[in-house]
Amino acid sequence: MSDNIFAKIINKEIPADIIYEDDQCVAFRDVNPQAPVHFLVVPRKPIAKLQDLTAEEEGLIGHLHGVITRLAEQEKIAEGYRVVVNSGSSAGQSVFHLHFHVLGGRPMRWPPG
Ligand code: AMP
């Protein structure tokens, strides 16, 4: 089993502002938000990074994206938001448990830094 900070949040060993959970994932607000709305959607399965996905997990990823679209409605950002996955440390990944950032509530620039 993974022993990173997100595993501890999933296992309720440390607190987080959880906005949704089901049998496959947990969503909670980012502790260092980069937009007025910034939450993370995290699979319970301890996959370290996007690049580690296998064909077996394709259904899981579809589920996570359904959760993202429903939470975007719930958080009132459905009109425009950004979904980000940092895969690998050179892309800025700091927690090695797969997570989807969802950011909204302000205009987004392109390209990202
Ligand atoms: P990344 O750099 O893509 O791996 O993203 C990790 C994210 O996790 C960052 O945006 C952090 O602010 C966030 N984060 C780290 N620890 C916590 C925590 N305990 N609760 C909520 N978000 C966290």
Side-chain angles (χ1 to χ4, degrees), residues 7 10-11 14 16 20 24 28 31-32 37 42 47 53 56 62 69 71-73 84-85 88 91 95 102 109-111:
I10 290 165
N11 294 326
I14 63 169
Y20 174 82
Q24 295 185 69
F28 51 89
V31 76
N32 183 24
V37 176
V42 184
I47 301 160
L53 280 180
E56 186 188 319
T69 58
L71 289 178
E73 292 279 355
V84 174
V85 179
V95 178
V102 183
R109 291 180 298 276
W110 194 264

Side-chain angles (χ1 to χ4, degrees), residues 5-6 9 28-32 40 86 92-95 99 101:
I5 195 156
F6 291 173
I9 290 172
F28 51 89
R29 297 192 194 283
D30 196 295
V31 76
N32 183 24
L40 305 171
N86 297 319
Q93 186 173 5
S94 60
V95 178
H99 51 282
H101 295 259

Side-chain angles (χ1 to χ4, degrees), residues 12-34:
K12 308 277 169 69
E13 293 166 15
I14 63 169
D17 187 356
I18 293 173
I19 59 172
Y20 174 82
E21 59 184 317
D22 64 25
D23 61 330
Q24 295 185 69
C25 68
V26 177
F28 51 89
R29 297 192 194 283
D30 196 295
V31 76
N32 183 24
Q34 301 302 310

Side-chain angles (χ1 to χ4, degrees), residues 61-76:
I61 298 308
H63 175 75
L64 297 180
H65 278 268
V67 168
I68 287 169
T69 58
R70 289 192 292 278
L71 289 178
E73 292 279 355
Q74 179 181 304
E75 294 295 315
K76 304 188 183 344

